[in-house]
Amino acid sequence: MAEFTARPGCEEEVERLLLAFTGEVRQEPGCLDFTPHRVEAPSVGRPGVAEPVAAGSRFIVSEVYRDSEAFAAHLAARHGAAFNSALAPLIEEPASMLTFLRSIA
């Protein structure tokens, strides 16, 4: 799972970039799922940050890859580097924050 927060006024540009990137990632041979989400709650808190995050500025991407090699290929993909370079000045964090999940059911 990848998460990031758009800077104020950059929300639509982040969404546009993310949707274009989604099409590219879904074509990667080892990608089983890549689904972007935009958080629409009135506000969400961030650890260590006093102010809540404005609705619509938080993005979460759920990602599933065939195996660790497929994920490594995703990270090394040229279109990923271009996306991250374009995204960096538009988000609050230094980069998207990754959380690795393991199914327990």
Side-chain angles (χ1 to χ4, degrees):
M1 184 172 72
E3 301 178 65
F4 45 88
T5 307
R7 293 183 186 276
C10 297
E11 299 87 354
E12 301 309 317
E13 179 65 9
V14 168
E15 183 171 316
R16 186 191 67 73
L17 284 170
L18 184 55
L19 290 174
F21 185 55
T22 296
E24 293 175 306
V25 174
R26 287 181 176 170
Q27 293 178 22
E28 294 173 8
C31 178
L32 302 178
D33 180 51
F34 190 92
T35 304
H37 305 272
R38 191 165 174 176
V39 177
E40 292 296 333
S43 65
V44 294
R46 291 184 295 171
V49 177
E51 311 94 39
V53 175
S57 65
R58 187 86 176 141
F59 293 83
I60 299 173
V61 182
S62 57
E63 306 177 51
V64 180
Y65 297 90
R66 181 185 59 238
D67 51 30
S68 59
E69 289 79 19
F71 182 62
H74 164 71
L75 292 178
R78 181 174 291 157
H79 55 263
F83 170 76
N84 287 323
S85 178
L87 183 68
L90 303 174
I91 63 174
E92 296 286 348
E93 302 82 7
S96 60
M97 299 179 303
L98 300 180
T99 302
F100 296 89
L101 305 173
R102 179 179 50 89
S103 176
I104 58 171

